[in-house]
């Protein structure tokens, strides 16, 4: 009877799914996992996670699952009027206002509505509809008003409000307060459950959201009270406990002309026979990656990628102009070599303590003489001496539709460093810009401090450095989505303005770095070689590759240069470093797709065509052994899936509950495709990866653990703030957000006692059934159930045996 009832129940459950609620349809139950998913559906999301630095922590964590009734609010009036514990579901236009009020320090956080809210879930919304011009005061910038103010120069008081749209959530610690950005499926499900709660007036049973953000680096109550007592969450603690990994990556540096080509020297007149000599150089830099409160959706279309795209387009245009100048020399005439090299640097992990620029300058000064280049210093390998001038490209491409109404005509502002040479460099850039139609370059207003930038790393070493920053803002950021999830998509940037700035930069470098004689044929030919139409085409193609998630690294330029390992699009977040494989960092192992794309692009753009052999290659090893140092550019394919597996290891984000299966992880990461591999070519280029990580961190390959050492005394003496050493906490695979129906305390009690009654009744019934079997055996067979002697079958069985015979 029990078996019949069991099979009947399974047949009823699997026949058809239970009707959904307001559009939400549960899965058809075919296995136990389907039943679990219907009872506790997962809200797809990108979480706020726990981050730690040398002095403390920021981000989100929970000690145990935090659950509360789900309520959607479309304005702050609804937020302020919530009753009872709530998990708020907020549109992206309301979340910044709610967060500002929640973080307001004028009253304790447990008073009023702030004491009743248990977490915040942000709807993914539509990025195309969230912009300053359409919604007036709409913004979404979780960054502080002065990003990384603790690393500012000594003469900067740090009181300037650079980011008026920022609500400062990225610097705050949210303990037992989960915050997440929902994806499209999670938004639909959360809206459905919140609508049911609203329609039923929030009476039981209600729909709740339960968030489990258990972070392994978060201190528990036991640790805070235990012996030895741990009172602070910081990098040293979590690294020693193997509970976190350092945030960082690899910067990409390329020089033009390359190291194999000569440059002039003031002390010896002609340095053609010594191409590897370290000489002063002009540094042109931009950021390689981006940041956001929700790291998996950090696109940085304008904040980071616009400057990077201008750098890449200008590098290609400048190298082409140098080749055009060389071709202008008549046979028998002496060639005028460039006065200085230009180092194009895409710095990684700049949002995390300016890790890329600080590490590069530290190694350049001899601090990392045995790291990165197989035992050689980066300056020796690339032929770089002291920084003669520095030009940085900040956010420079904000689209017109996102520009606030109070900004009449967008311009490009040149911020001069406070040193003696900064003003002259800024004037040279503006003067060159006057010859480029369609772009307006202006000096920043008097009294405006130098903006937060990678140049801070240079100024702490040389306060009189000749440096300038090109940006779209004067005294405050005009991008209302700076450092947020909605700084994404091709609609966020203006490729035409970015292309014009790239033309200005290339022509400026001809004056500042190349130093061709005024009025010479070489200078005229080089200036003509900066093709505005070609730069515009390159810029638009790079926007497609680096900004458009619909195309990404499936664009034509990327497919010709390399094979992506994690799919055509991935977050521009710097990521974590699980470890270091070797001291020589010049192999593709452990590099992100963005880093490898930029490396191949710069190598191809800045290569010396006359010195290159152009022999076929499939790896870097096949280009060695000649008189001229060459690199392999454009080798596509991933033989055996090696790079794909290593990149998945490098960029692996600690998985969320049920996320890999639900989102189709295999298609997102891409397939290992070696059938379409094409060989590359060996070219003479000076390009390399430089570790973007605190100099205090060292990887112990024997015990597979990161060690945090003491700060370099020379670095401490420089000022400009100590190295923050940012890390990201590990977390278990159970982290995530689920939704379910909460029956209420009374119904929970009824269900509990009903279950207890069923259990007691079942126990009593089994006891009676066992006694009945015992009595049956004693009466029919005439013997005890466990102590009897076999005397043959029962009489009934004997008669049946005789009849069958």
């Amino acid at each position: 009877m029990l078996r019949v009832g069991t099979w009947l129940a399974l047949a009823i459950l699997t026949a058809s799914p239970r009707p959904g609620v307001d559009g939400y349809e549960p899965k058809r139950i075919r296995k136990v996992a389907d039943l679990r998913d219907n009872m506790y559906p997962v809200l797809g999301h990108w979480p706020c996670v726990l981050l730690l630095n040398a002095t403390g922590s920021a981000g989100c964590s929970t000690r145990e699952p935090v659950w509360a009734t789900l309520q959607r609010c479309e304005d702050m009036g609804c937020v302020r009027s919530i009753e009872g514990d709530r998990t708020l579901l907020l549109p992206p236009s309301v979340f910044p206002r709610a967060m500002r009020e929640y973080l307001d320090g004028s009253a304790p956080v447990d008073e009023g509505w702030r004491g009743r809210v248990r977490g915040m879930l942000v709807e993914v919304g539509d990025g195309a509809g969230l912009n300053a011009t359409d919604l007036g005061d709409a913004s979404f910038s979780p960054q502080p008003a002065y990003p990384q103010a603790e690393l500012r120069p000594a003469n900067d008081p740090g009181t300037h409000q650079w980011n008026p749209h920022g609500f400062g959530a990225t610097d705050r610690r949210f303990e037992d307060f989960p915050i997440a950005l929902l994806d499209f499926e999670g938004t639909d499900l959360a809206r459905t459950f919140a609508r049911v709660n609203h329609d039923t007036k929030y009476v039981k049973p209600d729909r709740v959201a339960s968030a489990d953000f258990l972070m392994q680096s978060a201190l528990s109550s036991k640790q805070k009270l235990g012996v030895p007592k741990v009172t602070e969450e910081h990098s040293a603690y979590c690294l020693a406990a193997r509970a976190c990994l350092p945030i960082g990556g690899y910067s990409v540096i390329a020089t033009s002309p390359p190291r194999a080509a000569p440059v002039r020297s003031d002390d010896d007149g002609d340095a053609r026979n010594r191409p590897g000599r370290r000489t002063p150089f002009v540094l042109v830099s931009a950021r390689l990656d981006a940041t956001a409160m929700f790291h998996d959706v950090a696109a940085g279309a304008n904040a980071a990628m616009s400057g990077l795209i201008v750098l890449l387009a200008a590098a290609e245009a400048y190298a082409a102009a140098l080749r055009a100048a060389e071709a202008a020399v008549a046979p028998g005439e002496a060639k005028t070599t460039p006065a200085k090299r230009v180092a194009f640097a895409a710095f990684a992990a700049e949002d995390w303590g300016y890790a890329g620029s600080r590490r590069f300058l530290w190694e350049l000064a001899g601090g990392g003489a045995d790291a990165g280049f197989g035992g050689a210093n980066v300056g020796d390998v690339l032929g770089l001496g002291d920084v003669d001038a520095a030009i940085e490209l900040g956010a420079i491409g904000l689209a017109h539709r996102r520009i606030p109404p109070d900004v009449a005509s967008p311009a490009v502002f040149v911020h001069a460093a406070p040193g003696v040479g900064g003003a002259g460099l800024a004037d040279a850039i503006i003067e060159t810009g006057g010859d480029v139609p369609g772009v307006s370059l202006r000096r920043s207003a008097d009294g405006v401090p130098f903006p937060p930038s990678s140049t801070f790393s240079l100024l702490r070493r040389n306060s009189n450095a000749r440096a300038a920053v090109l940006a779209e803002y004067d005294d405050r950021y005009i991008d209302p989505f700076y450092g947020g999830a909605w700084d994404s998509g091709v609609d966020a940037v203006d490729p035409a303005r970015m292309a014009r700035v790239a033309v200005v930069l290339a022509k400026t470098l001809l004056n500042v770095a190349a130093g061709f004689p005024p009025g010479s044929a070489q200078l005229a030919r080089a200036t003509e070689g900066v093709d505005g139409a070609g730069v515009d085409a390159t810029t638009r193609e790079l926007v497609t590759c680096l900004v458009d998630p619909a195309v990404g690294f499936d664009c034509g330029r990327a497919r010709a240069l390399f094979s992506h390992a994690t799919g055509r699009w991935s977050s521009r977040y710097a990521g974590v470093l699980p470890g270091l494989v070797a001291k020589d960092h010049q192999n593709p192992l452990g590099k992100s797709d963005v880093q490898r794309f930029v490396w191949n692009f710069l190598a191809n753009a800045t290569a010396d065509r006359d010195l290159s052999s152009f022999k076929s290659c499939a790896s870097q090893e096949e280009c060695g052994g000649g008189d001229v140092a060459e690199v392999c550019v454009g080798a596509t394919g991933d033989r055996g899936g090696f790079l794909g597996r290593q990149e998945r290891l490098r960029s692996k984000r600690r998985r969320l509950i049920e996320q890999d299966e639900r989102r189709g992880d295999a298609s997102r990461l891409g397939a290992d495709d070696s059938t379409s591999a094409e060989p590359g070519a060996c070219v003479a280029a000076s390009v390399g990866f430089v570790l973007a990580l605190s100099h205090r961190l060292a990887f112990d390959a024997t015990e597979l653990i990161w060690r945090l050492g003491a700060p370099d005394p020379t670095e401490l003496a420089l000022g400009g703030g100590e190295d923050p050493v940012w890390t990201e906490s590990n977390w278990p695979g159970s982290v995530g957000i689920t939704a379910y129906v909460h029956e209420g305390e009374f119904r929970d009690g009824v269900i509990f006692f009903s279950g207890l009654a069923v259990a007691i009744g079942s126990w009593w019934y089994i006891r009676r059934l066992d006694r009945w079997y015992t009595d049956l055996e004693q009466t029919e067979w005439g013997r005890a159930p466990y102590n009897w002697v076999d005397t043959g079958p029962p009489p009934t069985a004997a008669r049946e045996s005789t009849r069958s015979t």
Side-chain angles (χ1 to χ4, degrees):
M1 182 65 72
L2 276 174
R3 292 182 178 178
V4 173
T6 302
W7 284 110
L8 181 60
L10 288 176
I12 294 173
L13 285 174
T14 57
S16 61
R18 187 178 177 181
V21 184
D22 196 17
Y24 167 65
E25 291 294 337
K27 296 180 179 179
R28 180 179 293 274
I29 301 175
R30 301 186 183 278
K31 53 184 182 292
V32 175
D34 296 336
L35 180 61
R36 179 198 61 195
D37 292 342
N38 284 347
M39 294 177 63
Y40 303 98
V42 175
L43 295 178
H45 66 284
W46 299 283
C48 159
V49 300
L50 178 59
L51 307 172
L52 305 96
N53 58 29
T55 57
S57 59
C60 308
S61 70
T62 63
R63 294 188 182 93
E64 56 186 18
V66 174
W67 63 273
T69 303
L70 196 58
Q71 179 172 345
R72 185 174 188 266
C73 287
E74 296 183 353
D75 53 55
M76 285 304 299
C78 169
V79 172
R80 298 187 186 104
S81 62
I82 61 173
E83 298 178 358
D85 291 347
R86 295 287 188 266
T87 295
L88 293 180
L89 177 63
L90 303 173
S93 57
V94 179
F95 174 73
R97 302 165 192 168
M99 186 54 64
R100 280 194 185 95
E101 193 165 321
Y102 182 83
L103 297 175
D104 183 14
S106 60
V109 75
D110 57 351
E111 290 186 0
W113 71 268
R114 299 186 302 171
R116 294 187 290 272
V117 64
R118 294 292 175 259
M120 295 185 185
L121 306 180
V122 189
E123 299 173 350
V124 69
D126 181 9
L130 183 66
N131 62 82
T133 55
D134 289 348
L135 299 181
D137 60 347
S139 64
F140 196 102
S141 178
Q143 307 300 322
Y146 193 134
Q148 304 193 82
E150 64 279 3
L151 302 180
R152 66 188 184 277
N155 58 355
D156 187 343
T159 57
H160 191 79
Q161 301 292 303
W162 284 105
N163 184 22
H165 307 284
F167 51 89
T170 55
D171 286 353
R172 302 295 290 267
R173 179 72 169 92
F174 300 94
E175 193 170 3
D176 289 328
F177 191 89
I179 304 174
L181 173 64
L182 302 181
D183 62 14
F184 288 102
E185 295 179 5
T187 298
D188 290 341
L189 179 57
R191 282 178 176 175
T192 298
F193 276 32
R195 190 176 301 116
V196 174
N197 285 338
H198 177 270
D199 294 342
T200 58
K201 308 299 182 184
Y202 300 97
V203 298
K204 306 298 181 182
D206 58 350
R207 276 72 182 169
V208 303
S210 175
D212 183 2
F213 283 13
L214 177 64
M215 299 285 133
Q216 294 179 0
S217 297
L219 294 179
S220 63
S221 302
K222 183 178 180 181
Q223 288 174 302
K224 293 181 178 180
L225 300 175
V227 179
K229 186 177 181 180
V230 182
T231 58
E232 294 185 3
E233 299 170 336
H234 49 67
S235 299
Y237 149 74
C238 73
L239 288 171
R242 301 176 185 262
C244 63
L245 290 172
I247 299 175
Y250 294 88
S251 303
V252 181
I253 317 292
T255 63
S256 181
R259 178 177 178 268
V263 292
R264 296 199 307 273
S265 175
D266 294 334
D267 58 353
D268 59 7
D270 187 2
R272 294 189 182 189
N273 297 324
R274 293 192 293 169
R277 180 187 177 94
R278 294 181 63 164
T279 56
F281 68 99
V282 176
L283 176 64
V284 179
S285 64
R287 300 191 176 199
L288 184 59
D289 41 51
T291 185
M293 186 175 184
F294 313 107
H295 296 159
D296 290 328
V297 287
N302 181 53
M305 294 298 106
S306 64
L308 177 63
I309 289 170
V310 172
L311 179 142
L312 297 179
E316 187 176 73
Y318 177 71
L322 293 184
R323 290 192 291 270
E326 187 174 354
V329 179
E333 294 184 7
K335 295 181 180 180
T336 303
T337 58
K340 302 179 184 68
R341 284 190 176 87
V342 177
F344 296 97
F347 289 131
E350 287 299 276
D351 291 297
W352 308 100
Y354 301 116
S357 55
R358 282 196 169 196
R359 180 70 180 229
F360 169 70
L361 294 171
W362 176 71
E363 291 196 10
L364 191 67
D370 60 344
F373 288 87
N377 182 274
V378 60
D380 296 330
V381 173
L382 301 181
L384 303 177
D386 296 328
V387 179
D388 178 75
I391 302 175
E392 182 175 352
L393 300 162
I396 213 162
L398 186 64
H400 286 273
R401 75 176 189 86
R402 291 197 167 197
I403 295 176
D406 59 340
V407 180
S409 57
V412 176
F413 292 89
V414 183
H415 299 260
V420 292
L425 179 60
D427 292 339
I429 297 173
I430 295 174
E431 182 180 356
T432 304
D435 299 331
V436 179
V439 62
S440 173
L441 275 82
R442 307 174 188 172
R443 280 286 299 271
S444 58
D446 294 336
V448 175
F450 198 68
S453 58
S454 303
T455 310
F456 280 4
S457 301
L458 177 62
L459 293 178
R460 68 193 292 262
R461 294 179 174 275
N462 179 10
S463 59
N464 292 319
R466 196 160 64 114
V469 172
L470 275 65
E472 64 197 8
Y473 52 84
D474 184 11
D475 61 337
R476 60 187 176 90
Y477 297 170
I478 64 173
D479 189 352
F481 308 103
Y482 170 79
W486 273 268
D487 182 14
S488 63
V490 293
D491 292 336
V493 296
D494 183 358
R497 189 190 330 144
M498 293 158 59
R500 297 184 191 108
V501 175
V503 171
V504 172
L505 178 57
K507 291 185 176 182
T508 300
L509 293 176
L510 290 175
N511 297 324
V512 174
F516 294 127
S520 64
Q522 280 188 289
L523 178 59
R525 187 62 183 272
T527 304
E528 294 173 0
V530 181
D531 179 17
V535 173
D536 185 81
T538 298
T539 301
R540 294 181 185 277
E541 188 174 14
L542 288 172
V543 167
T544 303
C545 299
L546 292 170
V547 176
D548 190 354
V551 181
F553 289 136
D554 281 343
C555 66
R557 183 68 70 103
R559 293 175 69 89
L561 288 175
F562 85 125
S563 292
H564 54 72
T566 56
R568 65 188 179 192
W569 182 260
S570 60
S571 170
R572 300 301 185 242
Y573 171 54
V576 296
L577 285 176
L580 297 179
V581 232
K583 289 186 176 181
D584 188 358
H585 303 150
Q586 304 312 309
N587 57 66
L589 182 64
K591 312 304 186 296
S592 72
D593 283 344
V594 177
Q595 293 160 9
R596 291 192 295 119
F597 171 75
V598 172
W599 186 96
N600 278 277
F601 185 97
L602 287 176
N604 181 66
T606 61
D608 190 305
R609 303 293 192 260
D610 295 335
L611 299 177
S612 301
S613 66
F614 292 106
K615 70 177 182 179
S616 179
C617 61
S619 63
Q620 300 300 328
E621 291 76 12
E622 298 180 16
C623 292
D627 296 333
V628 177
E630 292 185 310
V631 294
C632 183
V633 173
T636 64
D638 185 4
R639 294 176 296 178
F642 176 73
L643 287 177
R645 289 191 296 271
Q646 293 300 326
E647 168 58 11
R648 284 188 278 272
L649 175 64
R650 188 209 72 84
S651 63
K652 183 180 181 182
R653 306 276 299 131
R654 274 69 112 211
R655 68 185 293 267
L656 306 176
I657 180 173
E658 298 299 321
Q659 293 291 291
D660 291 346
E661 293 82 357
R662 187 172 57 80
R663 293 187 184 179
D665 195 54
S667 61
R668 179 171 60 86
L669 292 177
D672 300 324
D673 183 9
S674 59
T675 58
S676 60
E678 296 290 339
C682 295
V683 297
S686 295
V687 60
F689 293 109
V690 177
L691 191 64
L693 197 66
S694 169
H695 70 278
R696 297 180 57 189
L697 287 168
F699 185 68
D700 187 339
T702 304
E703 298 188 16
L704 301 179
I705 187 174
W706 284 97
R707 307 288 188 187
L708 182 62
D712 186 338
T714 306
E715 289 290 302
L716 285 178
L718 294 176
E722 295 186 18
D723 196 336
V725 195
W726 280 102
T727 60
E728 179 185 273
S729 174
N730 301 335
W731 63 76
S734 60
V735 163
I737 304 176
T738 56
Y740 59 90
V741 177
H742 180 222
E743 300 291 346
E745 296 181 0
F746 175 76
R747 294 196 181 190
D748 287 346
V750 170
I751 293 174
F752 171 75
F753 287 109
S754 298
L756 183 61
V758 170
I760 295 174
S762 300
W763 173 80
W764 176 82
Y765 178 76
I766 291 173
R767 294 273 301 185
R768 291 293 304 268
L769 189 63
D770 181 67
R771 182 173 299 177
W772 180 78
Y773 272 116
T774 302
D775 295 341
L776 179 65
E777 290 180 348
Q778 290 178 344
T779 57
E780 184 176 352
W781 293 351
R783 46 184 171 268
Y786 303 113
N787 187 18
W788 54 278
V789 179
D790 188 3
T791 58
T796 304
R799 287 195 296 269
E800 292 295 333
S801 177
T802 304
R803 186 177 298 110
S804 64
T805 302

